[in-house]
């Protein structure tokens, strides 16, 4: 299976990939990192790491390629992205399956993620003819003013293991139509998905005569990550990952006055009002909290439910959780795969234990899911629900643990629920289930008194954003916006142009200088 997949994606003879690896090889040996299957705990393949010289060469290539790529007309760059989207359509299933194999999300979600890259490619094609600048009236006679958006330079794209394809896609497809070149630093836990994804994009670019538009650098933080964020040749660093990582990247890039686009942790809550469609709320909450084994930045981590319906709803939720099939993420019917590695299982166990010590009550899950046979070495856990004490005081729920743990809180008034939802440091995604348009509107209050998150859903769960909207969040989530709407502007520099066509000099602000 693995070999066929690698062959179909053209990775079997790839110079960076070693397919005959065994589990007893140490990752650092010969500068090789092992890509592990989290469902079995066994290696899929080895990947040769980049060193300092490779980083230099790749960055120099990106700078050089930018000089000519920026001159390609934007709609022509759109044509490139259109062809890339089509190339992904041809391997949708294979690429989705590779993701599943490497990071453990179920196959439907792996395929869904590649679809997200195809969707943003389609979006970017249209965007390539809409890189609009404004014109504005000049205060001076016989002068014209306009602004134009210009290609910016190589973009450093740092991605996490959990969306190893689409988060790059959001950045790279837009960056390409904007005339930028891309250097991708993927998570060392998902290098194969990066290589497969990037090789397809660059192959298409090469076919059109554009070299080094999409490159990747696979290496450790000290050898390639730190140099990249410190490097002035990257005017923009787009980074996705933990708040801790983002705080570091943000301050280093700001220190050299570069731009960063940060999409960091979330601690997303679902509010369920007493007038909600509870059937809908139940299904959405299960997908939001259990999907991707709780390893989305948009995962529902907190449930804030009206006290009058909390006990009944929790009982139904526990029942639903108990029907979730946990197992081989490639197998049909499985709804939840493994966590990415053993460290994540330890963090899960630590969170469960700490929440209980703080007064939380475990109502389902809370432990490893033990498997036998092929899956014996997999990092499986049971989806977990913990009810907060009556006081709603549960410090553990303020932390983002990348695992399927849902903390349940109760409320009396909507104000209280919204305050609770806003009380965490992160501000990515939020949701309310209600049949009342007033409650929904209060949650979306245009004064800003409602949800303080970058994403706010009504009668939908916290995860599963469409690409058409800008994606990202506030506070410790980092403030960046990727994907749809006007996120493209992050990849270009703005120039205000004032053009005089008068023989008389007129100074702005009416200044006389004679
Ligand atoms: C992430 O987890 O980093 O909204 C991205 C969602 C997906 C993207 C998640 N479209 O859940």
């Amino acid at each position: 299976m693995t070999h066929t997949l690698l062959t179909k994606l053209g990775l079997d003879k790839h110079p960076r990939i070693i397919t005959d690896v065994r589990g007893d090889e140490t990752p650092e040996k010969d500068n090789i990192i092992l890509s592990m299957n989290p469902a079995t705990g066994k290696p899929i393949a080895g990947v040769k790491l980049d060193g300092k010289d490779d980083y230099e060469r790749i960055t120099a290539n990106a700078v050089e390629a930018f000089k000519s790529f920026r001159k390609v007309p934007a709609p022509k760059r759109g044509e490139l992205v259109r062809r890339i989207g089509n190339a992904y359509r041809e391997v949708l299933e294979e690429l989705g399956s590779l993701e599943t194999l490497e990071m453990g999300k179920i196959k439907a979600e792996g395929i869904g993620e590649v679809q997200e890259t195809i969707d943003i490619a389609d979006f970017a094609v249209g965007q390539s003819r809409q890189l609009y600048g404004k014109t504005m009236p000049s205060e001076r006679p016989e002068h014209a003013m306009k602004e134009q958006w210009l290609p910016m330079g190589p973009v450093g794209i740092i991605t996490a293991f959990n969306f190893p394809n689409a988060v790059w896609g959001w950045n790279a497809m837009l960056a390409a139509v904007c005339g930028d070149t891309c250097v991708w630093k993927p998570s060392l836990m998902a290098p194969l998905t990066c290589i497969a994804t990037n090789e397809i994009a660059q192959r298409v670019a090469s076919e059109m005569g554009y070299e080094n538009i999409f490159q990747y650098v696979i290496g450790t933080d000290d050898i390639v990550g730190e140099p990249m964020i410190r490097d002035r040749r990257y005017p923009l660093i787009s980074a996705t990952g933990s708040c801790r990582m983002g705080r570091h990247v943000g301050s280093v890039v700001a220190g050299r006055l570069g731009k960063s686009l940060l999409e960091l942790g979330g601690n997303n809550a679902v509010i369920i009002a007493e007038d909600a469609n509870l059937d809908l709320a139940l299904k959405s909450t299960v997908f939001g909290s259990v999907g991707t084994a709780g390893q989305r930045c948009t995962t529902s981590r907190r449930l804030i439910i009206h006290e009058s319906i909390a006990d009944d709803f929790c009982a139904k939720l526990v029942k639903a959780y108990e029907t979730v099939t946990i197992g081989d993420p490639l197998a049909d019917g499985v709804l939840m795969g493994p966590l990415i590695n053993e460290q994540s299982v330890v963090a899960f166990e630590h969170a469960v234990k700490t929440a209980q010590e703080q007064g939380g009550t475990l109502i389902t899950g809370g432990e490893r899911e033990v498997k036998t046979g092929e899956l014996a070495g997999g990092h499986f856990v049971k989806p977990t629900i913990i009810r907060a004490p009556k006081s709603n005081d549960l410090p553990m729920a303020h932390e983002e643990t990348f695992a399927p743990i849902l903390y349940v809180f109760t409320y009396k008034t909507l104000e209280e629920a919204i305050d609770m939802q806003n009380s965490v440091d992160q501000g990515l995604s939020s949701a309310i289930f209600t049949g009342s348009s007033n409650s929904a509107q209060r949650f979306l209050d245009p004064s800003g008194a409602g949800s303080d998150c970058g994403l706010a859903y009504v009668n939908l769960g916290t995860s599963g954003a469409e690409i058409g909207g800008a994606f990202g969040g506030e506070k410790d989530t980092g403030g960046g916006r990727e994907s749809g709407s006007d996120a493209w502007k992050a990849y270009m520099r703005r120039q205000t142009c004032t053009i005089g066509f008068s023989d008389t000099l007129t100074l702005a602000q009416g200044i006389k200088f004679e």
Side-chain angles (χ1 to χ4, degrees):
M1 154 75 204
T2 305
H3 202 76
T4 325
L5 201 55
L6 296 183
T7 309
K8 276 193 183 149
L9 289 164
L11 301 183
D12 54 327
K13 297 199 173 72
H14 194 281
R16 293 290 291 268
I17 299 173
I18 302 123
T19 47
D20 58 341
V21 287
R22 296 182 313 275
D24 52 5
E25 275 172 279
T26 55
E28 293 81 22
K29 191 173 158 239
D30 302 327
N31 257 349
I32 288 166
I33 186 96
L34 293 179
S35 163
M36 306 295 287
N37 177 346
T40 61
K42 296 199 180 110
I44 305 165
V47 174
K48 287 187 194 144
L49 290 174
D50 284 308
K52 282 201 155 61
D53 293 350
D54 301 303
Y55 168 79
E56 268 309 315
R57 173 180 44 82
I58 289 163
T59 302
N61 285 345
V63 170
E64 204 45 40
F66 171 67
K67 288 183 193 158
S68 48
F69 192 54
R70 65 182 168 188
K71 297 203 167 145
V72 175
K76 190 90 187 151
R77 301 192 296 248
E79 164 73 9
L80 163 64
V81 167
R82 187 174 67 78
R83 292 190 196 191
I84 294 172
N86 286 344
Y88 289 139
R89 280 182 169 90
E90 280 168 28
V91 289
L92 178 64
E93 167 131 15
E94 289 81 4
L95 200 48
S97 303
L98 178 66
E99 266 196 49
T100 295
L101 198 65
E102 191 171 42
M103 72 66 64
K105 66 173 64 176
I106 60 168
K107 196 169 155 187
E109 290 190 73
I111 291 173
E113 186 179 336
V114 180
Q115 185 60 50
E116 200 164 338
T117 296
I118 295 169
D119 292 345
I120 192 68
D122 287 354
F123 180 96
V125 177
Q127 190 67 63
S128 72
R129 291 182 185 266
Q130 301 175 80
L131 304 175
Y132 298 136
K134 293 178 174 169
T135 59
M136 55 285 290
S138 167
E139 66 190 50
R140 295 178 258 213
E142 299 191 312
H143 281 70
M145 276 179 85
K146 65 169 185 178
E147 59 185 22
Q148 58 177 350
W149 292 89
L150 310 170
M152 197 159 58
V155 177
I157 305 170
I158 300 173
T159 60
F161 79 86
N162 66 330
F163 268 76
N165 168 281
V167 170
W168 170 83
W170 295 344
N171 284 281
M173 297 300 98
L174 285 180
V177 298
C178 291
D180 300 336
T181 51
C182 301
V183 177
W184 180 6
K185 181 194 170 295
S187 158
L188 291 182
M189 289 178 277
L192 296 175
T193 305
C194 160
I195 296 177
T197 303
N198 197 97
E199 293 295 1
I200 292 168
Q202 184 50 50
R203 187 199 72 219
V204 175
S206 299
E207 283 163 8
M208 287 181 74
Y210 311 133
E211 294 306 330
N212 296 324
I213 308 305
F214 305 103
Q215 298 182 91
Y216 53 86
V217 55
I218 301 177
T220 54
D221 286 345
D222 55 333
I223 304 288
V224 304
E226 279 300 314
M228 178 185 257
I229 62 177
R230 290 177 195 280
D231 195 331
R232 292 174 67 91
R233 290 173 291 181
Y234 293 97
L236 173 68
I237 298 287
S238 174
T240 303
S242 68
C243 297
R244 193 180 54 81
M245 176 281 286
R247 207 166 267 127
H248 176 66
V249 171
S251 62
V252 170
V253 176
R256 63 171 169 90
L257 302 179
K259 291 186 189 169
S260 54
L261 199 174
L262 303 174
E263 199 258 285
L264 312 174
N267 191 343
N268 320 297
V270 180
I271 298 175
I272 302 183
E274 69 272 42
D275 55 15
N277 175 337
L278 295 179
D279 204 37
L280 191 70
L282 185 75
K283 286 184 186 139
S284 300
T285 305
V286 177
F287 176 70
S289 53
V290 169
T292 330
Q295 299 171 108
R296 289 191 189 213
C297 56
T298 51
T299 292
S300 305
R301 308 206 176 279
R302 297 176 297 140
L303 183 66
I304 303 172
I305 184 161
H306 193 269
E307 58 176 17
S308 63
I309 52 171
D311 291 350
D312 272 6
F313 192 84
C314 280
K316 285 193 184 130
L317 205 53
V318 167
K319 264 208 180 126
Y321 265 46
E322 284 166 2
T323 64
V324 170
T325 2
I326 307 164
D328 177 359
L330 279 167
D332 288 340
V334 168
L335 286 185
M336 200 180 105
L339 294 182
I340 187 69
N341 56 24
E342 191 53 26
Q343 250 169 297
S344 289
V345 177
V346 172
F348 161 86
E349 288 174 330
H350 168 77
V352 171
K353 183 165 162 277
T354 310
Q356 286 177 283
E357 284 163 9
Q358 292 170 349
T361 309
L362 179 69
I363 59 170
T364 189
E367 54 182 12
R368 278 172 196 269
E369 165 90 1
V370 179
K371 297 283 183 199
T372 52
E374 254 303 276
L375 305 182
H379 313 294
F380 297 94
V381 299
K382 293 193 162 84
T384 298
I385 305 176
I386 294 174
R387 280 194 74 162
K390 283 230 149 21
S391 63
N392 278 334
D393 183 18
L394 190 63
M396 192 62 221
H398 283 249
E399 284 174 41
E400 181 193 41
T401 305
F402 239 46
I405 306 175
L406 183 68
Y407 301 106
V408 181
F409 300 85
T410 54
Y411 75 90
K412 286 191 178 63
T413 66
L414 185 59
E415 285 64 32
E416 194 192 341
I418 292 175
D419 279 355
M420 226 188 283
Q421 115 88 34
N422 291 344
S423 69
V424 293
D425 292 336
Q426 308 86 342
L428 180 58
S429 188
S430 58
I432 190 169
F433 283 86
T434 177
S436 148
S437 57
N438 279 1
S439 300
Q441 195 54 60
R442 276 155 76 192
F443 181 70
L444 305 176
D445 189 339
S447 77
S451 161
D452 67 359
C453 291
L455 308 169
Y457 293 92
V458 174
N459 295 325
L460 279 171
T462 57
S463 68
E466 304 175 20
I467 58 91
F471 184 94
E474 303 303 331
K475 302 193 291 184
D476 283 7
T477 302
R481 291 296 188 280
E482 296 173 306
S483 189
S485 186
D486 62 354
W488 63 271
K489 290 180 176 169
Y491 306 88
M492 302 199 89
R493 63 188 171 86
R494 184 199 310 234
Q495 185 170 64
T496 302
C497 315
T498 309
I499 307 126
F501 50 97
S502 166
D503 294 331
T504 313
L505 175 69
T506 316
L507 298 177
Q509 293 86 45
I511 292 174
K512 296 272 175 266
F513 198 76
E514 280 157 7

